[in-house]
Amino acid sequence: MNTTKAIAAQAQAIQQTETALIELFVRLAQVIGLQRSIGEIYGLLFAAVRPLTMDELTQRLGISKGSASQGLRLLRSFGAVRMEYVPGDRRDHYVAELELRHLLGGFLREKLQPHLVWGAGQLNEIDRLVAALPGDDQGLLRQRLIRLKRWRTRGQKMLPMMLKLLRV
Amino acid sequence: MNTTKAIAAQAQAIQQTETALIELFVRLAQVIGLQRSIGEIYGLLFAAVRPLTMDELTQRLGISKGSASQGLRLLRSFGAVRMEYVPGDRRDHYVAELELRHLLGGFLREKLQPHLVWGAGQLNEIDRLVAALPGDDQGLLRQRLIRLKRWRTRGQKMLPMMLKLLRV
DNA sequence: CATTTTGTTCAATATAAAATGAACAATGCT
DNA sequence: AGCATTGTTCATTTTATATTGAACAAAATG
């Protein structure tokens, strides 16, 4: 039974699944501080059963060429998306890498790690400054710095732990 | 030797230490998606050797009463800051809770957890939608959904793990 | 090799988020 | 009670961020 009606119903089901997956990845993007458009692109690619062109992405998501181009570049740099060759078509076709670790690992590497590195340096700087403090204040601040340093250590431990959990 | 010059030098050292600590917490706020002003407030309180009033915060950070009031409310809701009674002064005085776990735990609870909960629900919804998909697509999508569900599990494990690491 | 197609870049624009400050409420003081 | 001080709220303004789209470059087509 493949009536027009049945086909329409299936098309709607596909549509709804896409929408729900896009929504999921848009929120994930939000959580890790990436643009909504990047969530949309990855979501649609994740839901797609075949490689999509940039043109299809802009059309179906209603985003501009610029957004699509930049978004895809970032996703490729993360390794979350790759280009797939399609014979007889010179346009680039994109597919999602299904392992989420690419997406999350890219985020950890590019967004989180730099801050941790900077923080370590800043703590040394603060150390130096506290040494020049008047004696009574100095004791108090030294105690607090010790706490901060414990957190630097924890942060440095947490990142590899998360990366390990992601098997990156 | 407590010449005017020496006192001025110490005042500068205090100033620099404050600035460096504020900068540190501003970046931490940035990483976890909190407003810069909240980082500034916590940073200054962390650097302060005595409780500060809201007025002192607005003055020294150059932020408005509104920002200070709202920022302090959030920090209190996280348990990252508490009010301390100062005899003979009816203004509220604030001190930083030095355990960073309050700040980070508050963030995990209020910003991250809700998304994880929503995501779990959304995955069930997607499950339902995939069941209505045409057979050939359905197999493919089911495979992908399995991956996503694995990540839900991981996410749910990671949160308690981080909370434990924070001893919250 | 002129033309079309495809993809990128970046200044301009639109959107979202945070900060402001005036109006208000609550509290303490004389 | 009347006044002064302190703290909160929220509509408006400011600032920061993301998106757009026109101009450009690169590559394929016929």
Side-chain angles (χ1 to χ4, degrees):
Chain A
M1 193 184 72
N2 245 3
T3 64
T4 313
K5 220 188 225 171
I7 288 168
Q10 286 190 345
Q12 201 204 6
I14 291 170
Q15 180 73 37
Q16 287 178 328
T17 307
E18 273 176 7
T19 304
L21 277 167
I22 290 167
E23 201 184 350
L24 185 73
F25 284 108
V26 163
R27 294 222 12 182
L28 177 58
Q30 201 187 104
V31 170
I32 65 182
L34 298 176
Q35 297 93 299
R36 127 176 233 99
S37 63
I38 287 179
E40 291 176 319
I41 292 168
Y42 187 83
L44 182 51
L45 289 175
F46 192 93
V49 297
R50 60 175 179 78
L52 301 180
T53 62
M54 212 174 83
D55 189 52
E56 287 174 304
L57 288 169
T58 58
Q59 292 262 282
R60 297 171 68 177
L61 296 173
I63 63 177
S64 69
K65 277 210 305 177
S67 280
S69 177
Q70 292 187 172
L72 285 168
R73 170 161 45 162
L74 188 74
L75 286 168
R76 267 179 298 166
S77 83
F78 283 3
V81 146
R82 72 184 150 78
M83 289 166 65
E84 190 166 289
Y85 174 67
V86 170
D89 192 336
R90 79 181 169 96
R91 289 173 300 176
D92 296 336
H93 291 248
Y94 294 93
V95 295
E97 291 287 359
L98 302 177
E99 295 80 24
L100 279 203
R101 67 193 159 93
H102 287 116
L103 198 59
L104 298 175
F107 156 72
L108 290 179
R109 260 183 289 111
E110 319 241 336
K111 304 267 168 179
L112 199 54
Q113 203 159 29
H115 285 288
L116 288 177
V117 170
W118 176 88
Q122 183 75 350
L123 274 174
N124 288 333
E125 171 68 10
I126 294 172
D127 238 348
R128 219 176 49 70
L129 289 168
V130 168
L133 248 43
D136 31 347
D137 291 3
Q138 191 174 134
L140 202 67
L141 264 293
R142 278 199 187 287
Q143 286 306 312
R144 296 187 187 179
L145 261 195
I146 287 170
R147 286 171 187 279
L148 280 185
K149 284 182 189 164
R150 271 210 287 272
W151 278 94
R152 162 171 61 180
T153 312
R154 282 189 201 181
Q156 277 178 346
K157 266 185 202 144
M158 186 155 349
L159 190 71
M161 205 170 87
M162 289 170 79
L163 288 171
K164 196 179 163 192
L165 197 66
L166 303 176
R167 288 178 298 133
V168 172
Chain B
M1 194 183 78
N2 244 1
T3 64
T4 313
K5 220 188 225 173
I7 288 168
Q10 287 191 345
Q12 201 203 7
I14 291 170
Q15 179 73 37
Q16 287 178 328
T17 307
E18 274 177 7
T19 304
L21 277 167
I22 290 168
E23 201 184 350
L24 185 73
F25 284 108
V26 163
R27 296 223 8 184
L28 177 59
Q30 200 186 105
V31 170
I32 66 181
L34 298 175
Q35 297 94 297
R36 129 178 231 96
S37 63
I38 288 178
E40 292 176 316
I41 293 169
Y42 187 82
L44 182 50
L45 289 176
F46 192 92
V49 298
R50 59 174 181 77
L52 299 180
T53 63
M54 212 174 83
D55 190 52
E56 287 175 304
L57 289 169
T58 59
Q59 292 261 282
R60 296 172 67 177
L61 295 173
I63 63 177
S64 68
K65 276 211 305 177
S67 281
S69 176
Q70 293 188 170
L72 285 168
R73 169 159 49 160
L74 188 74
L75 286 168
R76 267 178 299 165
S77 83
F78 283 1
V81 146
R82 71 183 150 77
M83 290 166 64
E84 191 167 289
Y85 174 68
V86 171
D89 191 337
R90 79 182 171 95
R91 289 172 301 175
D92 295 335
H93 291 249
Y94 294 94
V95 296
E97 290 288 356
L98 302 177
E99 295 80 24
L100 280 203
R101 66 193 161 92
H102 287 117
L103 198 58
L104 297 174
F107 156 72
L108 291 178
R109 262 184 286 111
E110 320 240 336
K111 305 265 169 181
L112 199 55
Q113 202 160 30
H115 285 288
L116 288 177
V117 170
W118 176 89
Q122 182 76 348
L123 274 173
N124 288 333
E125 171 67 10
I126 294 172
D127 238 348
R128 220 176 48 70
L129 289 167
V130 168
L133 249 41
D136 31 347
D137 291 5
Q138 190 173 136
L140 204 67
L141 265 291
R142 277 198 188 289
Q143 286 306 312
R144 296 186 187 179
L145 262 196
I146 288 171
R147 285 173 188 279
L148 281 185
K149 284 182 188 162
R150 272 211 287 271
W151 278 94
R152 163 171 60 178
T153 312
R154 282 190 201 181
Q156 277 178 345
K157 266 184 202 146
M158 185 154 352
L159 191 70
M161 205 170 86
M162 288 171 80
L163 288 171
K164 196 180 162 190
L165 198 65
L166 303 177
R167 288 178 295 131
V168 171

